[in-house]
Amino acid sequence: MDLAFTPEEQKFREEIRAWVRDNLPQEISHKVHNALHLTRDDMQRWAKILGKKGWLGYGWPKEFGGPGWTAVQKHLFEEECALAGAPRIVPFGPVMVAPVIMTFGNAEQHKRFLPGIASGEVWWSQGYSEPGSGSDLASLKTRAERKGDKYIVNGQKTWTTLAQYGDWIFCLVRTSTEGKPQTGISFLLIDMKSPGVTVRPIIMLDGGHEVNEVFFDNVEVPAENLIGEENKGWTYAKHLLSHERTNIADVNRAKRELERLKRIAKSEGVYADPRFRDEVARLEVDVVALEMMVLRVLSAEKSGKNPLDIAGLLKIKGSEIQQRYTELMMLAAGPYALPFIKEAMEAGWQGEHVGAAYVAPLAATYFNYRKTTIYGGSSEVQRTIVAQTVLG
Amino acid sequence: MDFNFSDDQEQLRDAVRKWVDKGYDFERRRAIVKAGGFDRGIYGQLAELGLAGLYIAEEHGGMGMGPVEAMVVMEELGRGIVMEPLAQTLIASGVLSGYANDDLKSAWLPRIASGEALVVLAHQERKARYRLDLCEAKASPAGNGWSVTGDKSIVPAGDQVDAFLVPATVDGKIALFLVERSAQGVNARGYVTQDGSRAAEVKFQSAPAALVTKDGLTALEHAVDIGIAATCAEAVGALDKTMALTAEYMNTRKQFGVTLSTFQALRHRMADMKMQLELARSMSYYATLKLNAPTEERRRAMGRAKYQLGVSMRFIGQQSVQMHGGIGVTDEYAGSHYFKKLTQLEMTFGDTLHHLGEVSARMQDTAGVFA
Ligand SMILES: Cc1cc2nc3c(=O)[nH]c(=O)nc-3n(C[C@H](O)[C@H](O)[C@H](O)COP(=O)(O)OP(=O)(O)OC[C@H]3O[C@@H](n4cnc5c(N)ncnc54)[C@H](O)[C@@H]3O)c2cc1C
């Protein structure tokens, strides 16, 4: 056993650090470090910088143009990006749909879709959930009927993150009602500019617009946009889910935010209050324990083992930690977290703050982060899966 | 011992509940948030019901009622997440009745009772957090009266009200003053808060002030305790409604072919929420029934009550959102507004850690409801 990274890994980290320092625009990291509102351009700009370097698809194998990094290298890259204040990579293209296209798509689809994902030019959205199908995804109803060389798609998706910017959406659609619900689902790529696609905003409780409803009204989709075989979409979707892993625990961002929490608590004077400090200390142990758990998963992956039973826990704990640091930041600001001045969450706002400038987004972020234990597989559903691995 | 409500109290509850149901539905509330988080017309309606004069003696035009009636009213306003600051009126009328001289009482109490004047506490300062003994605002004699200089934060409806109760130091000791908003040297910058209601930053620059009492810290502590009891009751109403919304959702939302209420993980969660609700309700009663106790006993009770309410509000609020899934984090759904209200109430008059500190500091060798 050895906790340290190898000298090569350490060197790799330093290279990444230097590169990120030289290439991450300061306006963007300022926003990230202060939880200010990121525009589409901010996210796209960083994606394109990474894309140019060949690192947007940093998890991709070499044959598809990725850097072919090991699990540890990927982790170090994520960590350096997070600590430097890079925006999270919008995962739908490079992290979610790309591996599915690589694994189950044909050569034509590889050529057609992967370059736009790798470069950050094309914005993808994830169209899984429906009003009646959340945790019970297999019950989804959006229909895709084959008519000659086209599918005609009708139905509604919901909670579609950032679909207002979307160029393309990958959808689970129902192509058959025979047999078990899981067996009639297909994986379809849909151009969002197709006639019949409508995107309607859902405003979140913090006043932000990050999710949408997406309606399909007789949308014609060329049959060549089907991934793999008809009615096999559920298998591909499960493959996709198994791809997030350590990534979704986001322990690196937690480390950065813990640091910010301490800064805020110091500046607000509560860091000296043992009662508050102990809460931060508790969180600190949580973060370190999560990081150790992540490192164990990485080590197992490095040696070719796959301890899935721990990987499932990362989402549960990681999302709870995310909620907790936003909660403590809000509480650190105390009554000054209460004013809701929406414009103050935009970078460069010149108006008068209430209290310190950094408090403006704290409560809104706390409210918004209640989502983390709901999306990407709710904590309840995750716990059921974990229980199954323990109990059989 | 008797925890039943009298017929009169039940009638009062019914009247307020009817008003909330009819005059303050969710759409109405949404419109008020959009318009800036405060509606003087709505406040006028509360006053018409007699609520602004609830704590004010009949000789000054009020109803001469007590903490239990106030609790009943605040529960119902909490159930409807009403934003107009009636708790502040309870504070102002309690403090003026208890500490001001007869002239000040006659000048203000009848106007407060009728709803013509709205007076709120302006005590929050930048460095004080929830402590009441830290105060940088200063007062000095000016002519026949006084003048106050200082900055106060997050004053409820601060740019819409008629006057403020302002703690400020005289010779290093906190005194309490009444300052009119229209007075010279008063400047209020308004904004909405997280729950949609209104607040303001208020600056006093040599503003003419009337002295309420030189024993300002005692009066301020009393003021905040009236506020804590009211906040606890308001929270109970909001918690009650949050539970009802969640139970209704559990019984209608279907996943995997059955309602969510069939999943044991969620059923047990509902049981834990019910536990927190009833602990909260019990402690709200406790706060209300100790409001007229001797200072030390009253202060200890308020710390204990607000701590429990804070724990309950956070647990029930968070769990309710979680159990609603995606719907729970949308602006459109009423439940998310209850969650934000509960969060704001937790941070009003001292958050949970602050009151844990209060309980800890006042802790004795034995403990119980009567100690
Ligand atoms: C901010 C946000 C972004 C999202 N982005 C996307 C996106 O880009 N694309 C996309 O396709 N989807 C997205 N989602 C949808 C997300 O995956 C679903 O919200 C999630 O799967 C839960 O479904 P639901 O909201 O319908 O809740 P429900 O499934 O109705 O669940 C409600 C509650 O019941 C619990 N529950 C359900 N079943 C069980 C059970 N069997 N046992 C115990 N408890 C149970 C849940 O855990 C939850 O607490 C997003 C959601 C949010 C909030």
Side-chain angles (χ1 to χ4, degrees):
Chain A
M1 279 212 191
D2 182 5
L3 188 57
F5 291 106
T6 66
E8 297 78 51
E9 286 163 347
Q10 203 51 45
K11 186 159 162 282
F12 174 85
R13 179 203 284 284
E14 275 149 29
E15 281 165 18
I16 299 286
R17 180 173 298 173
W19 185 85
V20 173
R21 190 182 53 224
D22 294 344
N23 289 278
L24 174 61
Q26 199 265 329
E27 309 92 84
I28 295 182
S29 62
H30 169 78
K31 288 186 184 182
V32 170
H33 280 308
N34 294 284
L36 297 173
H37 175 233
L38 286 171
T39 63
R40 176 191 208 261
D41 282 351
D42 293 326
M43 296 184 258
Q44 196 89 340
R45 189 170 161 205
W46 177 234
K48 284 181 185 166
I49 292 170
L50 287 174
K52 223 166 159 193
K53 178 76 178 167
W55 286 354
L56 185 56
Y58 67 95
W60 298 12
K62 273 209 163 107
E63 52 171 317
F64 290 109
W69 287 341
T70 65
V72 172
Q73 285 174 317
K74 286 184 240 172
H75 173 78
L76 292 173
F77 172 75
E78 286 165 9
E79 178 165 353
E80 288 307 320
C81 286
L83 294 180
R88 290 196 74 189
I89 291 173
V90 179
F92 306 114
V95 182
M96 292 183 169
V97 75
V100 173
I101 294 175
M102 288 174 207
T103 315
F104 304 103
N106 55 40
E108 186 54 39
Q109 289 168 335
H110 294 166
K111 224 166 58 206
R112 186 159 161 227
F113 293 110
L114 293 178
I117 299 177
S119 68
E121 295 289 335
V122 181
W123 190 295
W124 283 81
S125 296
Q126 178 184 28
Y128 281 14
S129 305
E130 298 183 8
S133 307
S135 301
D136 180 17
L137 204 51
S139 68
L140 64 90
K141 290 200 172 67
T142 296
R143 291 270 310 166
E145 273 173 284
R146 180 88 188 227
K147 290 259 168 72
D149 58 355
K150 288 188 191 102
Y151 284 98
I152 309 297
V153 179
N154 279 290
Q156 182 195 345
K157 295 291 173 182
T158 190
W159 310 123
T160 324
T161 299
L162 300 178
Q164 69 265 39
Y165 306 142
D167 299 309
W168 281 76
I169 183 166
F170 58 97
C171 287
L172 292 180
V173 292
R174 182 151 305 283
T175 37
S176 164
T177 48
E178 320 255 293
K180 284 208 320 186
Q182 285 84 342
T183 55
I185 291 170
S186 297
F187 198 104
L188 203 56
L189 312 182
I190 303 178
D191 184 343
M192 292 189 73
K193 287 181 279 298
S194 314
V197 177
T198 316
V199 177
R200 208 156 69 190
I202 298 173
I203 302 304
M204 298 261 291
L205 78 173
D206 61 343
H209 173 198
E210 74 180 75
V211 283
N212 303 271
E213 297 177 287
V214 182
F215 298 88
F216 300 94
D217 180 17
N218 285 317
V219 177
E220 296 188 4
V221 181
E224 70 216 36
N225 291 5
L226 178 78
I227 294 291
E229 285 176 52
E230 211 176 78
N231 299 331
K232 288 273 172 67
W234 189 254
T235 322
Y236 313 151
K238 281 214 314 218
H239 174 84
L240 181 160
L241 290 179
S242 75
H243 246 264
E244 317 180 11
R245 211 191 264 297
T246 58
N247 187 21
I248 200 150
D250 236 335
V251 67
N252 302 310
R253 200 154 54 109
K255 284 160 71 176
R256 182 188 75 212
E257 295 298 299
L258 182 62
E259 199 183 312
R260 185 156 79 96
L261 165 62
K262 290 173 184 172
R263 270 204 311 275
I264 291 174
K266 272 180 204 162
S267 168
E268 291 296 306
V270 281
Y271 202 55
D273 174 355
R275 212 158 272 119
F276 193 88
R277 217 184 142 93
D278 286 353
E279 296 298 321
V280 181
R282 264 189 254 280
L283 179 62
E284 174 155 314
V285 175
D286 273 350
V287 169
V288 172
L290 179 67
E291 187 176 24
M292 275 306 289
M293 224 153 65
V294 167
L295 294 174
R296 283 172 63 207
V297 172
L298 291 176
S299 151
E301 282 188 357
K302 202 159 119 177
S303 53
K305 289 193 211 105
N306 199 357
L308 262 182
D309 56 335
I310 295 190
L313 298 173
L314 298 180
K315 162 71 168 59
I316 300 175
K317 194 68 193 174
S319 55
E320 287 173 359
I321 285 174
Q322 288 167 34
Q323 292 184 335
R324 186 65 178 149
Y325 60 67
T326 62
E327 186 172 5
L328 286 176
M329 281 188 219
M330 173 181 72
L331 294 172
Y336 284 88
L338 297 181
F340 176 63
I341 300 173
K342 210 167 173 224
E343 312 80 58
M345 293 174 227
E346 304 291 336
W349 181 66
Q350 295 296 324
E352 225 180 314
H353 286 271
V354 178
Y358 55 73
V359 301
L362 296 181
T365 309
Y366 165 73
F367 294 134
N368 179 282
Y369 268 49
R370 304 316 303 172
K371 71 189 177 187
T372 64
T373 49
I374 295 168
Y375 67 21
S378 72
S379 293
E380 288 77 13
V381 170
Q382 299 283 346
R383 282 187 164 90
T384 302
I385 296 169
V386 170
Q388 220 139 29
T389 67
V390 181
L391 298 168
Chain B
M1 186 194 335
D2 177 9
F3 293 126
N4 294 310
F5 295 100
S6 70
D7 290 345
D8 285 352
Q9 288 161 350
E10 291 293 2
Q11 273 168 20
L12 179 63
R13 182 189 295 284
D14 282 350
V16 180
R17 186 177 293 201
K18 276 208 190 88
W19 175 82
V20 170
D21 288 347
K22 281 229 299 269
Y24 209 86
D25 64 21
F26 193 55
E27 284 318 305
R28 186 75 221 273
R29 184 181 190 276
R30 195 185 282 286
I32 297 170
V33 173
K34 243 185 161 169
F38 176 80
D39 185 329
R40 190 67 190 239
I42 290 284
Y43 184 75
Q45 290 179 21
L46 292 176
E48 260 169 52
L49 289 171
L51 305 183
L54 195 137
Y55 261 172
I56 294 172
E58 286 172 32
E59 54 167 312
H60 286 124
M63 303 213 295
M65 291 178 168
V68 177
E69 285 79 12
M71 177 176 85
V72 165
V73 169
M74 289 310 298
E75 278 184 14
E76 295 311 314
L77 297 184
R79 198 182 310 280
I81 44 176
V82 173
M83 295 175 293
E84 283 61 32
L86 192 75
Q88 289 290 332
T89 299
L90 297 173
I91 290 174
S93 39
V95 166
L96 290 172
S97 302
Y99 298 88
N101 63 29
D102 287 341
D103 286 352
L104 215 49
K105 281 189 208 169
S106 316
W108 285 92
L109 290 177
R111 292 174 58 215
I112 292 175
S114 70
E116 187 194 334
L118 174 54
V119 181
V120 300
L121 189 60
H123 73 293
Q124 176 65 44
E125 286 191 10
R126 185 70 191 98
K127 289 185 191 137
R129 249 184 117 73
Y130 301 112
R131 283 179 62 176
L132 303 176
D133 57 335
L134 299 180
C135 178
E136 287 188 348
K138 288 191 170 46
S140 48
N144 287 337
W146 294 81
S147 92
V148 167
T149 295
D151 295 349
K152 303 287 181 175
S153 278
I154 321 168
V155 179
D159 63 341
Q160 315 267 327
V161 300
D162 301 286
F164 309 98
L165 290 174
V166 189
T169 59
V170 178
D171 301 328
K173 201 167 161 274
I174 295 175
L176 192 67
F177 297 89
L178 186 141
V179 184
E180 295 191 52
R181 183 167 64 86
S182 60
Q184 245 202 341
V186 178
N187 180 301
R189 171 165 65 96
Y191 46 81
V192 292
T193 58
Q194 298 294 340
D195 71 350
S197 66
R198 194 157 188 86
E201 298 302 282
V202 185
K203 286 185 189 306
F204 301 95
Q205 187 58 246
S206 303
L211 178 69
V212 177
T213 171
K214 282 212 164 167
D215 194 1
L217 186 57
T218 303
L220 179 59
E221 287 178 346
H222 196 173
V224 165
D225 286 356
I226 294 171
I228 288 176
T231 302
C232 289
E234 191 178 0
V236 166
L239 288 170
D240 233 352
K241 183 65 185 256
T242 301
M243 283 289 287
L245 285 171
T246 312
E248 190 185 307
Y249 193 74
M250 293 289 100
N251 282 323
T252 45
R253 170 76 172 168
K254 281 190 173 174
Q255 290 285 278
F256 305 99
V258 293
T259 61
L260 294 181
S261 60
T262 48
F263 299 126
Q264 196 176 44
L266 303 182
R267 293 183 76 83
H268 285 188
R269 198 87 56 81
M270 282 305 276
D272 290 339
M273 288 162 73
K274 175 71 174 162
M275 169 69 81
Q276 287 301 325
L277 171 65
E278 293 309 330
L279 290 171
R281 196 192 310 276
S282 304
M283 288 306 260
S284 168
Y285 290 3
Y286 174 67
T288 289
L289 296 172
K290 290 282 185 181
L291 201 48
N292 290 330
T295 307
E296 193 48 36
E297 193 181 331
R298 186 194 79 219
R299 295 244 79 202
R300 185 162 42 237
M302 295 306 146
R304 290 164 169 176
K306 190 69 176 29
Y307 172 74
Q308 175 62 55
L309 266 292
V311 170
S312 298
M313 286 193 279
R314 213 186 295 176
F315 182 76
I316 293 177
Q318 292 180 350
Q319 293 308 325
S320 166
V321 170
Q322 178 69 20
M323 289 163 74
H324 278 86
I327 295 287
V329 289
T330 61
D331 175 67
E332 193 190 336
Y333 183 60
S336 72
H337 296 267
Y338 280 85
F339 171 55
K340 290 198 281 186
K341 178 70 176 184
L342 292 171
T343 306
Q344 181 146 333
L345 289 177
E346 189 195 335
M347 287 194 276
T348 302
F349 301 124
D351 68 13
T352 309
L353 279 186
H354 171 81
H355 283 293
L356 181 61
E358 291 286 294
V359 175
S360 168
R362 293 170 200 284
M363 202 151 63
Q364 296 172 326
D365 289 344
T366 58
V369 166
F370 301 103

